[in-house]
Amino acid sequence: MYRSHNCGELRATNINEEVTLAGWVQKSRDKGFIVWVDLRDRYGITQLVFDEERTPKIMMEQAQKLGREFVIQITGTVIERASKNPNMSTGDIEILVSKLSILNESLLPPFTIEDKTDGGEDIRMKYRYLDIRRNPVKDNLIFRHKVTQEVRNYLSKEGFIEVETPYLIKSTPEGARDFVVPSRMNEGQFYALPQSPQTFKQLLMIGGMDKYFQIVKCFRDEDLRADRQPEFTQIDCEMAFIEQEDILNAFEGLTRHLLKEVNGVDIEKFPRMLYDDAMRLYGNDKPDIRFGMEFCPLTPKGEDFGFSVFDDAELVVGISVKGCANYTRKQIDELVNWVKRPQIGATGLIWIKHSEDGTLTSSVNKFFDEDYLNHFSNKMKAEAGDLMLVLAGNTDKVRTQLSALRMELADRLGLRNPKEFAPLWVMDFPLLEWDEDTERYHAMHHPFTSPKPGQLELLKTNPGDVKANAYDLVLNGNEIGGGSIRIHDKETQALMFDYLGFTPEEAKAQFGFLMDAFQYGAPPHGGLAFGLDRLVAILGGQETIRDFIAFPKNNNGRDVMIDAPAPIDDKQLEELSLKLNLKS
């Protein structure tokens, strides 16, 4: 038995007990005549004591040689600590060691294993197994486990069955790029790693499983950022014999349960917003509704503004920022420079101050008199003390730019409290979106999404106007889940493939198995998939998913710890019939 207790559980009630502990040396303090050692495991820290009066000389010498992260086992007696530490759960006691075994020595770690470490992200990712010993990372992984367990328990109680689907599947041209896997036994042919289990969960509905879920790894070979990884985890769900309302109610229930059990927060309302309204009011399809600053389109008083920047624009739109009319010129210039960055791409930013005394001043005073500025202020419902910020230009670009500015201001003003949660359903997305490069329509979600009831005929006349029977669940400005009611008959699915540019032969080659299955009594069905990594991060008060993944990739998609991806042996390439000129 390596330990009778863990390093976080001993209390004053254990005084005079003999115990055995094992763990890592957090740090030691050698005063010559006495040595204190902090022993750590994932449960906590317990202080050990060795002294000249009560500890044999040979053990005292061993204790003085203990280095950081040595793995040791001790046996000793729990005694009352002379100088108690109220910040430690074990701070009332310490262990007078009677037996010490060094289980494994350790090199000096490349960074300190402390909550606030001196290690940068690159070095911590290279030695991720050491980083996991730190409380912030360890606690995040335990938190993820708790969320995952709550998901499994809730869905199981609601009658969902967890079913595993294949990881080696067929590559499809829709969506993001696939990771592909060559097949040794089928020369010149490849598997793909799944971007989602979409078709398999639909087949499970045809198979009569009725309610399915899976906590599943998915893979996308796409450009990375802080909230995106090449491999990620979904809570994948599907239900048969349902309508959209059934889906929304089912997963409102799951989200409400998680917020209550994990965060202790009661959420009653899940407001619903049309996609078109989200774009009009917030400039994106995942708005953070915890604060205001809704977009306000500005119109001229007469036939035009008499100001070419506005007159030549498709859209003139602004936001009113509460209480910021006292911004200095330096602060406003910072905002102007911020929106001009290449990442945002605005050519400029117009500001109007509604001062506390009621006067109005702006960066365009020479173009607009106070009467006109009052017109803008009334449109934006600005009050004394507010700052109005206005952009003009191409509709889509301006909305994207102003949305980014809105979120930046919210961060600067502390309006995005991570302990406050505001869920939102965004609904009625466009079914198709036009791609200028390929000059054809693409599915906004995926090719298996059904159009809204009664809009099927529009596919033949105005495909760009068709709304999808689709919905996204947004939490605090992040999409945490998305889904749709699926197409469940062969004719409609064939029509969808036709509008997506598939020939009948291509549709059959790619998805013939699904089309065939629709002919054997496919029930109406739909579902939703949560992004587990992002959901856990938001519930944990953060938006960067990497901190909640045990072994994440960096922004280049590399695992710097194991140095992957990496070249493979020539013999393996030959077995896979891959003739690559590795020297070129």
Side-chain angles (χ1 to χ4, degrees):
M1 180 177 68
Y2 276 106
R3 55 188 179 183
S4 61
H5 297 76
N6 65 53
C7 293
E9 68 177 298
L10 295 172
R11 301 290 187 272
T13 53
N14 300 106
I15 286 174
N16 295 326
E17 291 181 18
E18 184 176 77
V19 298
T20 300
L21 303 179
W24 290 266
V25 174
Q26 175 79 15
K27 60 183 176 182
S28 62
R29 300 174 296 286
D30 183 0
K31 298 295 184 181
F33 64 93
I34 189 168
V35 177
W36 288 283
V37 174
D38 286 349
L39 186 65
R40 183 194 73 242
D41 62 14
R42 82 169 173 94
Y43 304 95
I45 293 176
T46 297
Q47 181 170 282
L48 315 179
V49 61
F50 306 80
D51 66 37
E52 288 182 343
E53 293 183 5
R54 296 173 291 183
T55 302
K57 183 178 180 181
I58 189 168
M59 189 188 302
M60 193 72 179
E61 290 174 351
Q62 276 186 299
Q64 290 172 326
K65 294 178 180 178
L66 292 176
R68 282 180 177 264
E69 302 307 308
F70 275 38
V71 185
I72 65 173
Q73 179 193 41
I74 63 95
T75 298
T77 304
V78 182
I79 62 175
E80 186 175 3
R81 189 164 165 170
S83 179
K84 295 180 172 59
N85 185 344
N87 298 318
M88 290 175 59
S89 60
T90 59
D92 290 342
I93 59 93
E94 59 189 4
I95 310 298
L96 178 60
V97 179
S98 58
K99 182 180 179 182
L100 167 64
S101 298
I102 297 176
L103 303 177
N104 213 335
E105 295 184 358
S106 172
L107 297 174
L108 183 67
F111 54 88
T112 55
I113 314 298
E114 303 277 0
D115 289 3
K116 293 184 178 179
T117 182
D118 56 358
E121 185 171 352
D122 289 344
I123 194 74
R124 288 189 292 109
M125 288 302 100
K126 184 175 181 179
Y127 297 93
R128 183 63 164 178
Y129 46 87
L130 297 179
D131 201 32
I132 290 172
R133 295 180 190 174
R134 297 193 310 114
N135 284 328
V137 181
K138 174 201 72 178
D139 291 344
N140 283 348
L141 296 181
I142 294 171
F143 182 81
R144 181 187 178 110
H145 163 75
K146 181 179 179 181
V147 173
T148 303
Q149 288 300 101
E150 289 295 338
V151 169
R152 278 200 166 94
N153 292 341
Y154 181 87
L155 291 176
S156 297
K157 288 177 183 177
E158 291 294 313
F160 285 80
I161 304 299
E162 186 165 14
V163 182
E164 295 181 16
T165 54
Y167 279 167
L168 295 176
I169 65 168
K170 190 175 187 177
S171 183
T172 61
E174 283 292 313
R177 287 182 295 272
D178 290 324
F179 283 100
V180 295
V181 181
S183 171
R184 179 182 59 81
M185 293 182 290
N186 300 274
E187 184 176 337
Q189 296 185 321
F190 297 82
Y191 299 105
L193 299 180
Q195 297 183 34
S196 85
Q198 181 60 46
T199 54
F200 288 100
K201 65 180 177 179
Q202 291 189 247
L203 293 170
L204 285 170
M205 295 303 102
I206 297 170
M209 290 307 294
D210 190 54
K211 287 183 173 183
Y212 141 95
F213 85 99
Q214 183 181 188
I215 297 178
V216 59
K217 278 285 187 188
C218 301
F219 307 85
R220 290 178 187 168
D221 186 8
E222 57 186 352
D223 296 335
L224 305 179
R225 56 179 186 242
D227 63 342
R228 183 181 287 168
Q229 289 275 300
E231 54 179 315
F232 56 98
T233 306
Q234 285 187 178
I235 308 167
D236 198 57
C237 307
E238 198 80 0
M239 301 169 70
F241 300 111
I242 48 81
E243 296 177 336
Q244 179 176 276
E245 196 66 26
D246 300 303
I247 298 284
L248 302 189
N249 289 335
F251 296 107
E252 278 182 21
L254 173 59
T255 308
R256 191 176 283 115
H257 173 81
L258 292 175
L259 287 167
K260 176 65 176 176
E261 295 302 317
V262 175
N263 297 88
V265 173
D266 288 304
I267 297 290
E268 292 300 323
K269 294 182 179 180
F270 281 67
R272 301 178 183 185
M273 183 180 295
L274 298 178
Y275 168 85
D276 289 344
D277 290 337
M279 298 304 294
R280 177 177 57 83
L281 294 172
Y282 299 99
N284 71 68
D285 57 6
K286 48 182 184 295
D288 190 335
I289 58 172
R290 288 175 294 177
F291 57 95
M293 285 194 257
E294 292 183 357
F295 289 10
C296 177
L298 299 179
T299 56
K301 289 174 66 178
E303 292 184 359
D304 55 38
F305 290 98
F307 177 46
S308 61
V309 173
F310 286 3
D311 290 334
D312 296 340
E314 283 185 359
L315 177 66
V316 180
V317 64
I319 55 175
S320 177
V321 190
K322 295 295 177 188
C324 289
N326 60 354
Y327 264 31
T328 64
R329 184 58 184 266
K330 181 180 179 181
Q331 287 175 297
I332 291 176
D333 285 345
E334 284 179 2
L335 293 177
V336 173
N337 291 331
W338 191 88
V339 299
K340 284 183 174 181
R341 295 179 311 144
Q343 302 95 311
I344 307 300
T347 56
L349 176 67
I350 290 161
W351 56 265
I352 305 169
K353 289 184 178 182
H354 192 147
S355 302
E356 293 287 355
D357 62 6
T359 59
L360 289 157
T361 56
S362 78
S363 57
V364 286
N365 275 348
K366 64 181 179 180
F367 297 101
F368 299 109
D369 59 22
E370 188 161 346
D371 185 49
Y372 218 131
L373 296 180
N374 265 312
H375 168 70
F376 291 151
S377 181
N378 292 334
K379 289 283 292 184
M380 286 193 270
K381 298 180 180 177
E383 299 174 344
D386 294 349
L387 172 67
M388 291 162 274
L389 301 171
V390 181
L391 289 173
N394 172 273
T395 297
D396 291 339
K397 288 183 179 179
V398 164
R399 283 176 171 171
T400 300
Q401 292 160 357
L402 192 59
S403 175
L405 177 60
R406 175 180 180 268
M407 295 295 278
E408 175 68 14
L409 284 163
D411 284 334
R412 293 187 183 195
L413 296 171
L415 301 178
R416 304 187 70 207
N417 179 0
K419 295 183 179 180
E420 179 186 354
F421 298 95
L424 171 73
W425 287 108
V426 178
M427 305 165 67
D428 292 9
F429 287 79
L431 182 67
L432 306 170
E433 55 184 346
W434 182 257
D435 185 278
E436 293 290 347
D437 294 332
T438 60
E439 295 187 340
R440 67 181 180 90
Y441 283 106
H442 289 263
M444 192 162 191
H445 280 72
H446 54 63
F448 317 107
T449 298
S450 69
K452 293 289 286 186
Q455 295 201 4
L456 184 59
E457 289 302 314
L458 270 178
L459 273 176
K460 300 174 183 177
T461 56
N462 297 294
D465 293 340
V466 179
K467 298 298 184 184
N469 208 347
Y471 33 81
D472 279 359
L473 183 54
V474 176
L475 185 62
N476 295 359
N478 294 270
E479 177 201 333
I480 60 167
S484 65
I485 302 299
R486 321 301 186 191
I487 296 168
H488 68 278
D489 66 275
K490 183 176 181 178
E491 292 74 20
T492 306
Q493 189 65 72
L495 183 63
M496 174 64 81
F497 285 141
D498 181 43
Y499 280 102
L500 293 174
F502 287 76
T503 66
E505 293 75 22
E506 288 171 336
K508 182 172 178 59
Q510 293 290 336
F511 301 108
F513 64 94
L514 183 64
M515 305 277 275
D516 289 344
F518 284 159
Q519 299 176 101
Y520 290 93
H525 60 280
L528 178 141
F530 288 88
L532 178 64
D533 309 299
R534 189 174 299 167
L535 173 63
V536 170
I538 295 169
L539 294 178
Q542 302 179 41
E543 291 188 4
T544 302
I545 66 174
R546 192 178 298 156
D547 294 336
F548 292 84
I549 298 173
F551 300 102
K553 307 290 189 291
N554 69 11
N555 285 344
N556 294 318
R558 295 197 64 83
D559 186 325
V560 294
M561 182 182 66
I562 64 172
D563 193 23
I568 63 172
D569 187 84
D570 286 354
K571 185 177 179 180
Q572 287 179 281
L573 290 172
E574 290 174 12
E575 289 177 340
L576 295 169
S577 302
L578 294 176
K579 298 178 182 179
L580 300 178
N581 185 354
L582 298 179
K583 295 180 182 179
S584 62

